[in-house]
């Protein structure tokens, strides 16, 4: 059992809030600050089912990647599922803490972990602290890179704009959602490939009709699946014997193969 | 004991939400919608002390005049006194409901009650549904009007821009805060006197240097002191024997005569 | 051989420009208005390869679904692939005409065709002329609906937020990209399912945590694959013997299964 | 008799224009620049009565604290009392000069004078050059501080959020109007008390519900009453024998106790 | 001698303020409202020389076409020539009244007078109440129209985009300054010629390269020279024997042929 | 015959793009970058007639002063004269390059050439890189300066605000269009005369009523007539024997004396 502050101080020492984007909302977002923590749930997105899981597990803390509150609230009632999540957390004495773009962008954070997992060598950032421009390993091709992504992240069907195999030297990576101005940035940086998610059809088409760059779609959830593992390892190592961390079992990719509908 | 919805439906039947200003935030702002209510606290502003009072009294509901949430929230934690109020309400199963500018402006609402209390006859609104332009009783003067305000609202020291007694025919009234564009409106309406609160020095000066209009400062809290009484009477009459309504005892004018410091 | 104007007048008689969204850019976007047309290429997106195909085929006209110019141009030079497309079209006397949101939204247009293909009965629009709210056939379930989508549109891997089979009565459909305010609209309309593409992870998560609505992801290209067929049929029927229409052979889904990299 | 410029140069040497807020309007605002001055009236706010007094006194100059023109003018006619003030000043060859936030904020200006009058020791500014954070004298309490304010500024009824006596170490002071962002600043600076005027009910309530800070309301006019004295002393000392300065006798607090209505 | 109000009421009966553009500033802009008027000066633009002329003539009123105050004022001092104009008018008891776009646009106003002078038949307005679209007299050509303009308005050197004579049916006229959106409007209205002033080179070039429309430059001052005459006639006829109206002798086209420099 | 890039690199070495204003659009705006150039047309504004001239002359390049595209395009079709210009240039393999405010402002560019032509000595810029403040030659007067302008630029009728001859020491010059904030800047710089074009009547009037500054109107086209000569000389000298440069014969002042209508 430790003080909540000990846990949040540790997270902020490795993923400093100064790395968060201006638009972001991070830190302790729900609940009391002075709590004794014996058990904590780690998840990507917190919803009312994760809160239920925390109640059943006897956890006093939930740690999320995506902010538990994003759009500012004018009410805290149970008339929406999001409101229900907050109300039931507070009724049950559960605090919720979020580490989002600071966790993505800080050295050793999620983006660096994705890059490392893919054997890429980072040589710069894409925009501010966001994304990485990387050098590919010697002899890299469209085939070797896409195979490695599928294998390392367990992706069954991976899509790209490649029409034939080709040699690859530089790779831009923005895990999570990398549409908008980042698409143009990837071009400006003269990356051979851009790996990201949440692009619109129009943005993918623009990359396809450009002869100099290709796009590998790593869907938002796929690139962030390792976030919970990373957090778990760092926290478990630091607080072993004091706090019991668990990765949520009720969370899953919001998009599921329709063949699996029971 | 009644369903919460029965109470809120009743309030909204007499003070319809359509009378609320666009900027306002009204309705059930904190807690669960489906609750059985046996006891409720009525107050102007809800703070953590009112929540404490509700807990001690065993109330499941607090009804406020000023919105319990006004600036949208990016966190619901106990790191501010306002956050503490929400967290402790939710931890203790207390819902909070606010009726603000709809309660002010609806026919028979707070503004009309202030006007009636002062023996003025309303002849129109000031802006939209806000404020009332009134006719004064026959023979009204600066002296008779100010004396009546002090007596009816129990105000020890009442200030105005009057320098000598004069006859009064029309009175503009905007209880609570009536600065900004309402000051100019009172002039345009050719009111002999404007009764309101929360004006800045600059606005009072503008009214003073105008020969055609005078200003009687009825400070925000003074004009709203009767709000709790009005709500209490209407709710108690309707739900007598089913719900026990009480006006908060821990609330008071936030500004107290410094002679009373103990 | 017919005048270009005869073709564009026909298209605008069935898909009137008044159905286009304000932000859109439609009509003759590149080339000369007074041309004799003997051959025309139909495609979703025009790039320099489609122009090359038109040159090789001897076509004087390209008809596109997505606007050939979307962001206004400050240059018309060959320094980008998009500029190359325009320059080579003009050098070779090829005109380019786009029918976009008017083709989507007009009665009998692309959205209605998608809806019809899926055996849904339209009962209203989602926003303005955009999208359709539909009634599902009797006995519809998550399983029957997703199976039909896969079969009718030839989609190998279809994803949704369904976690178990359930009965479905109303379906909101917005082919192409239906993120942003349309996500909230689908909820407001109390659709059981929303079928659309180009949603961000965050938007999909919001739909997943809502117990009342599920989301079936029909990716942008998948729902528009039938656009060329529809245009082809209508134009070929009308101008048979006069103009030779062809669907582009060089276009394809910009995202291809990486297993197919040669 | 001296040149007007000699007087304005002197004022700007002690209260440099660079200390004025961006929104402010200061300097010579009405009349001719090259004038011989034998007599000048000093006031807080200039209205048509002060101009009349200047005419009767034979003064060629009026020096004000609040800007004689604040909202930019599209007309200079006598159809308002403010316009009448300007027209009659110009008809009678009277110039009007205003020293506002530069007089407030410059070292030795109004804010510093209020602070000094209250025996507080300034240790920093509140925002930019605005307001002062001060250390209270040893042994200060709510009672000693409020008694001193009443005595030094002759305030009969002084109001605060104090409910009981307590020890005070730091005091934030913003004479005149200190609502808006300054309220939050006072909290951030961890002042035990904030002394200011022109706050809205909502702002006072926020300070009351905060356990760490209290508010003493020093109404706008009360804290500025010494402004004329300060200006008078400095100008009289410098120009004695050359210019005859007088504090306006027709100005007064725009808000007067209604008991005094004659 | 008449009351000023009688004169301004008359002007506003023939050129109602409701015809003024939103951006405009019209009516009594400087001085007192209740004055006896024996003499008045009429001019296009009021400057300090016109005020001097009024003083010398013993006039109590100046009537201008262009607003005597256009950009709102934060000072009324003599530190600019514009300020000097206002200060000296007020010092000498002179009021200034402006009739601008209401005088331009009202039926029978300046625009209609220019059109009539040129023997054109108005068939509609250009934008709102601004400008007129006209039919040219039978047999009109570039030559006949330009000759008539030169003759009727006494213009020595008149410039246009015509390169050869051609037949003219419709003419758009916007006296004064007609650049900005009006240039495009003239094209949309399919006018054969646009007569206006204050266009930028870029706007003139756009009209020149358009085969369907030509531009005749009637410089701002040239088209408004008749404004004073029109006002004079209407006012003199109405107030003959009561008020002595004079057109300013010190005003002139601000641009003078450099051959005339003495 | 040289590569197009050799020509554009040369132009940008003498008139660096960094001197262009932010709003401007310069460089290669139409056509292909990799071309062999044997002949080029130089003009102020490119229209469809200049393109026709280039076709007849066998030129592969047009160099313009004003941008060939200024307002961004949503279409490139022949439905406007401007669109016709672009379409016919591209159909005929003609590229168009524009050097605008960089050519104006760079040292030795158009502004400096105008200043030198007038025997003025530049002593600073007006705003950023725009315009020049100059010292006039010893003994300069309104008469000597205006005579020299007429003679050096062949202007028959030159207009100014001078009413009598006077001695001149400093001159502000902004060739082309110098309205807007530059008018105020000329005053602030205490120039005795401002020489510029494209001012509105209102702006000229403001300069006329100011006793300290006069205005000489050098109309936009008149001050830029030497632009083609300057470009011609620099390009002809550099590429003599390799590229044949010609100044367009079909361009002319868009405003022509109406006496010359044939």
């Amino acid at each position: 059992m430790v003080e909540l502050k000990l846990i949040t101080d540790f997270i902020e020492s490795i993923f400093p809030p100064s790395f968060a984007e201006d638009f972001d909302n991070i830190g302790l977002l729900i609940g009391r600050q002075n709590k004794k923590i014996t058990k904590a749930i780690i998840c990507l997105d917190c919803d009312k089912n994760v809160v239920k899981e925390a109640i059943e597990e006897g956890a006093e803390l939930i740690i999320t990647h995506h902010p538990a509150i994003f759009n500012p609230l004018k009410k805290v009632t149970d008339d929406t599922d999001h409101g229900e999540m907050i109300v039931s957390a507070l009724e049950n004495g559960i605090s919720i803490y979020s580490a989002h773009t600071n966790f993505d962008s800080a050295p050793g954070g999620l983006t660096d972990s994705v890059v490392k997992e893919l054997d890429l060598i980072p040589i710069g950032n894409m925009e501010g602290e966001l994304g990485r421009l990387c050098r590919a390993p010697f002899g890299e091709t469209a085939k070797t890179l896409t195979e490695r992504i599928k294998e390392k992240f367990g992706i069954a069907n991976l899509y790209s704009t490649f029409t034939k195999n080709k040699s690859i030297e530089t790779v831009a990576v923005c895990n999570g959602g990398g549409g908008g101005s980042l698409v143009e940035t990837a071009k400006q940086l003269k990356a051979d490939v851009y790996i990201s998610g949440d692009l619109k059809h129009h943005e993918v088409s623009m990359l396809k009709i450009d002869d100099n760059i290709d796009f590998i779609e790593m869907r938002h959830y796929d690139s962030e699946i390792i976030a919970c593992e990373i957090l778990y390892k760092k926290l478990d190592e630091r607080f072993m014997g004091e706090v019991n961390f668990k990765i949520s079992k009720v969370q899953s990719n919001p998009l599921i193969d329709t063949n699996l509908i029971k």
Side-chain angles (χ1 to χ4, degrees), chain A residues 218-236:
Chain A
M218 196 163 170
R219 304 198 70 184
H220 197 112
Y221 188 86
D222 290 333
S223 69
E224 301 206 327
I225 197 120
I226 62 172
C228 295
E229 284 292 337
I230 296 169
L231 276 175
Y232 174 79
K233 274 184 201 158
K234 296 205 184 255
L235 289 163
D236 187 58

Side-chain angles (χ1 to χ4, degrees), chain A residues 136-150:
Chain A
F138 182 75
E140 184 87 296
T141 66
K143 282 204 175 182
T144 57
L145 177 58
T146 53
E147 282 309 311
R148 208 155 67 248
I149 295 172
K150 289 162 69 176

